[in-house]
Amino acid sequence: MKKYVLIAALIILVVVIFTFYTYREQDLGDVLKIDQVDRILLTTEEKELDGVEIPKSLR
């Protein structure tokens, strides 16, 4: 019986640790997976500007 309680406690501990790891405080780059981004497009509400593209080589 103690064996099953120990296994259940271990499983619950792994789930709790994984949950805390998943929802930890992260940088914006980590959340957006910035390494996989091809380009960044900045836009404004002004009609004259269509946007500014930042090439990958400048990052």
Side-chain angles (χ1 to χ4, degrees):
M1 185 67 176
K2 287 184 179 182
K3 183 178 181 181
Y4 295 115
V5 172
L6 183 63
I7 291 173
L10 185 62
I11 291 172
I12 290 172
L13 181 66
V14 168
V15 169
V16 167
I17 290 174
F18 180 74
T19 302
F20 276 113
Y21 178 76
T22 302
Y23 294 104
R24 73 189 188 284
E25 185 176 336
Q26 299 177 9
D27 293 331
L28 183 59
D30 294 337
V31 174
L32 297 177
K33 296 181 178 142
I34 200 71
D35 295 336
Q36 299 175 358
V37 173
D38 291 331
R39 63 182 175 167
I40 298 173
L41 184 63
L42 302 175
T43 59
T44 64
E45 293 181 11
E46 296 178 23
K47 301 294 183 199
E48 300 89 37
L49 298 175
D50 291 331
V52 178
E53 184 176 338
I54 301 173
K56 193 170 189 172
S57 60
L58 293 178
R59 285 186 263 145

